[in-house]
Structure formats: C-alpha cells, structure tokens
Amino acid sequence: MARRLINHILAGTSHILRDPRIELVLERIYSDAQRAADDARAAPSGLPRAADELGDFGYSLRPGQGEFLYLMCRSIGARRVVDFSTSAGATAIYCAAALRDNGAGTVISSDHRKDRRSAARHNLTEAGLIDYVDLRLGNPLDTLRSLPGPVDLAYLDGWPELGAPSLALSVLELIRPGLRPGALVLNDSHEPDYLDHVRDPTSGFRTSVLDFGVLSVVA
Ligand SMILES: C[S@@+](CC[C@H](N)C(=O)[O-])C[C@H]1O[C@@H](n2cnc3c(N)ncnc32)[C@H](O)[C@@H]1O
C-alpha cells in the first residue's frame, strides 16, 4: 500500500511535549508552512509569494530542532532564554514549554516584523504559553540590549548572512555579558564570521557543530 505523508515537515517527530494544546498549534504552524511550500512549488514562476501575503506562515525551526531545544532547556533547568528571531513563534513555543515544565521562566523573543509578532502572540496564546514569553519588536540590537537577568540558553536564528558582521554575531556579542557560565548558545545558520568567532579559542566559547543520535532527558 502506498504510504501517504500528510505533513512532510512533522513526519517522524516524537511529540515529546505531551500537551495536546501545544501539539495542535505546532501542527497548524507546520501545516501552514507545508502548504505555503507546496503552493510555491506549484506556482508557475516557482517563486514563493511575497512574505507579507503569507499570513501565519513562518520559516520555523524544524521540529527535531525544537525538541532538542526543549530537552536542553529541561536538562539545564533553564529559567531565561533569548530567542532571535520570533517568526511565528515555534522556537518560543518549544522553549516556553520547557520553562513551564521547569516550574517558571521567560523566553525573551524578538523580531522586527509586526505581523510576525502578532502571529506569534496568537500561536503562544493558543498554546497556553504566552505568560512565559516576552515578545519584543524591532532591531534585535536594540530590543535585546536590556535583559532582566542571567541567560541560560540563546537560540540565534535570523536570516542567514554571508557578509560580515552578521546579525547573528552582533547579537551574540550584545548578549554575551548576560550569558551565565555554562549557558548554551545555538545558531541555526552557520554564518561564517559567527563560526570563526565561536571556534576561536580566545572567544571564551567551547563549540561543536552537531550531528548525532538519540537523546533523552529524565523528566
Ligand atoms: C528562520 S526565521 C526564525 C524562525 C524561528 N526561530 C522559529 O523557529 O519560529 C528568521 C526570522 O528572522 C527575522 N529577521 C530577519 N532579519 C531580521 C532583522 N534584521 N531584525 C530582526 N528580525 C529579523 C525574520 O522576520 C524571521 O522571522
């Protein structure tokens, strides 16, 4: 019998959040993304529609990345997370779920687009997690200048840039004084200047580019 994948993005995820309300919102975010990607492929030009026509569609992190973030936040007992950028709120959802399961905390999440903030607010409210997220609007080099206390984990995921200085590196340098010893920083886009910096032995980071197997955290 032919196997039919309903959603290629969500296929194979473990659904570790174990909360139907959150799962439903993530399902919608990823289904919207899948539909937008399918539409773009079907369009005569092969080009995606303009970003402001995309509604709730956001370029979200992959579910496996979200699950990894959830496990990391649980494992280190995270209370404060920086999320650049918000998009439709998928990263914030995975991290806020971990903070909630840790007992308390705040995800400080920034994007420069009002429509992204509205979409994220909607999604986080639906997921029951809005109280764990501080949504900030504007240039991250302004919005992330003030952080309320030591940061346990940061996820840096703007648009990838080849030029230097990349926004990812600028944001890292901005929030560096607020990162507690042992804080985790994940970068999705592998900007070349960012990689050079975090691999430099004088930068104060220990860094590995990840690619490995099954991870569990004692709940
Ligand atoms: C790959 S998406 C982030 C996905 C997000 N981590 C998630 O999982 O939902 C990239 C985001 O970067 C934001 N962005 C790009 N350039 C930016 C800038 N200069 N300032 C602030 N946000 C920016 C975009 O609005 C977009 O939402």
Side-chain angles (χ1 to χ4, degrees):
M1 192 172 72
R3 193 157 157 256
R4 186 161 170 263
L5 290 178
I6 294 169
N7 187 314
H8 300 267
I9 301 174
L10 273 178
T13 57
S14 322
H15 302 283
I16 60 169
L17 303 183
R18 310 245 167 93
D19 180 329
R21 202 171 161 193
I22 303 178
E23 295 284 350
L24 212 62
V25 175
L26 288 171
E27 177 75 38
R28 182 164 47 70
I29 291 175
Y30 287 114
S31 298
D32 286 353
Q34 183 71 60
R35 197 172 314 110
D38 289 348
D39 284 355
R41 264 195 298 276
S45 67
L47 294 173
R49 290 171 295 163
D52 54 4
E53 287 177 38
L54 289 174
D56 263 8
F57 170 52
Y59 289 91
S60 307
L61 85 177
R62 292 189 301 283
Q65 293 174 301
E67 290 174 355
F68 182 73
L69 281 179
Y70 173 86
L71 293 171
M72 289 295 105
C73 288
R74 290 301 311 277
S75 177
I76 64 171
R79 289 280 198 247
R80 198 166 290 111
V81 169
V82 167
D83 168 30
F84 161 68
S85 288
T86 314
S87 191
T91 298
I93 286 176
Y94 282 103
C95 294
L99 301 190
R100 182 197 62 183
D101 295 347
N102 284 345
T106 307
V107 180
I108 299 141
S109 181
S110 180
D111 205 292
H112 70 311
R113 282 176 49 187
K114 260 191 183 161
D115 65 316
R116 298 292 82 206
R117 183 178 61 169
S118 305
R121 187 183 300 287
H122 173 74
N123 289 330
L124 285 155
T125 303
E126 293 266 291
L129 293 168
I130 190 69
D131 291 346
Y132 296 88
V133 183
D134 170 2
L135 289 172
R136 299 185 179 185
L137 179 68
N139 182 335
L141 300 179
D142 298 324
T143 59
L144 299 178
R145 192 164 288 283
S146 143
L147 299 170
V151 171
D152 302 295
L153 183 143
Y155 188 64
L156 307 181
D157 181 23
W159 297 136
E161 292 173 295
L162 291 176
S166 65
L167 197 50
L169 178 56
S170 302
V171 169
L172 178 69
E173 287 174 333
L174 177 72
I175 66 170
R176 177 72 181 89
L179 295 172
R180 70 152 165 91
L184 294 168
V185 187
L186 283 107
N187 164 268
D188 183 56
S189 306
H190 304 67
E191 286 87 350
D193 65 336
Y194 182 102
L195 260 178
D196 286 347
H197 177 74
V198 292
R199 282 173 159 166
D200 179 340
T202 65
S203 71
F205 290 101
R206 303 287 174 98
T207 296
S208 177
V209 178
L210 304 175
D211 181 18
F212 48 74
V214 182
L215 176 72
S216 306
V217 166
V218 176

